[in-house]
Amino acid sequence: PPLPHPQDAIDASWRAALESNGRLFDGSKFRLAALACADEGDGARLVLRLGMTGYKEYLGTNQAPREQRLRLAADGERLHGDAGAFLSNALGCETVLVTADGQIALLRRSSAVATHGGLFNGPSGHPEPSRARVEEEPDCAAAAEAAARLAVEELFDSVTQETHEETNVPRAALLPPRCIGCMAAADEHGCVGKPDLLFVTRTTLDAAAVRAAYEQGAAEGWESDRLA
């Protein structure tokens, strides 16, 4: 049978996701269109080209069944020379949380989250265009430059906020995160998944204090069921 129209498939996947998880909402997200490393002599600079997407589009494209993802990738390559042209590619963030005594804190994703339940990762989430106040299209070069600065601030602040909300470690106990790269995992069929900026965040708390903070209850504690 023919595959559904992409928008119909997105709508159908969103309805199904809402039925299984009422916590979901279609918030705006940054879309990673391209990235490159620029050599500046004393080090490399990561250059991102960002657009706008939403969580609904992410679930309906990057998380679509394999056959639909392959068709979207093939159409993007054929029409635009870019296999990701018709994918949401919502940009996420994830950090390695390093305690004051040199331990790494990992969270096991609960069954209440939309994807990858039961797997361990660091505190993670998405930078939010709404928090950065950059959801509107800039109307001049100065506005575009200002939006770019706000977006960069949000890319770094979001991972600190996610760490606080998922572990209950106070923001005052979290040092500024360091960006160490960007990744997008591929599945066994070669389909590329959602891109994530990767960070290292250090805390002034030792492992026991981090565990105690987590056990007191985090604002987004429902997203995980264990800290290791």
Side-chain angles (χ1 to χ4, degrees), residues 107 166-168 210-218 224-227:
L107 299 167
E166 294 183 12
T167 66
N168 199 37
V210 169
R211 182 174 299 279
Y214 177 79
E215 291 176 350
Q216 288 174 3
S224 65
D225 57 21
R226 179 182 172 190
L227 182 143

Side-chain angles (χ1 to χ4, degrees), residues 72-175:
L72 291 171
D75 287 348
E77 186 67 42
R78 176 172 56 85
L79 296 173
H80 300 285
D82 177 8
F86 296 129
L87 298 176
S88 166
N89 285 341
L91 181 62
C93 61
E94 181 175 350
T95 191
V96 175
L97 179 59
V98 183
T99 66
D101 51 347
Q103 302 296 303
I104 293 176
L106 295 176
L107 299 167
R108 186 171 68 182
R109 295 171 64 85
S110 73
S111 59
V113 295
T115 62
H116 305 107
L119 300 182
F120 283 91
N121 65 351
S124 61
H126 295 87
E128 303 290 348
S130 59
R131 289 207 318 156
R133 305 184 303 281
V134 294
E135 292 180 296
E136 301 297 327
E137 184 74 21
D139 56 5
C140 64
E145 290 181 7
R149 288 194 297 272
L150 290 170
V152 170
E153 291 174 5
E154 170 61 12
L155 294 181
F156 282 81
D157 188 69
S158 64
V159 76
T160 299
Q161 185 66 17
E162 293 288 353
T163 301
H164 165 63
E165 292 178 349
E166 294 183 12
T167 66
N168 199 37
V169 172
R171 285 189 61 123
L174 297 170
L175 302 181

Side-chain angles (χ1 to χ4, degrees), residues 9-46:
I10 291 172
D11 291 341
S13 69
W14 184 245
R15 287 193 298 270
L18 287 177
E19 288 177 1
S20 62
N21 187 349
R23 293 178 182 268
L24 297 180
F25 66 97
D26 184 23
S28 62
K29 308 296 176 189
F30 289 108
R31 180 181 186 272
L32 180 62
L35 62 82
C37 283
D39 187 358
E40 297 193 337
D42 58 347
R45 179 166 60 99
L46 186 63

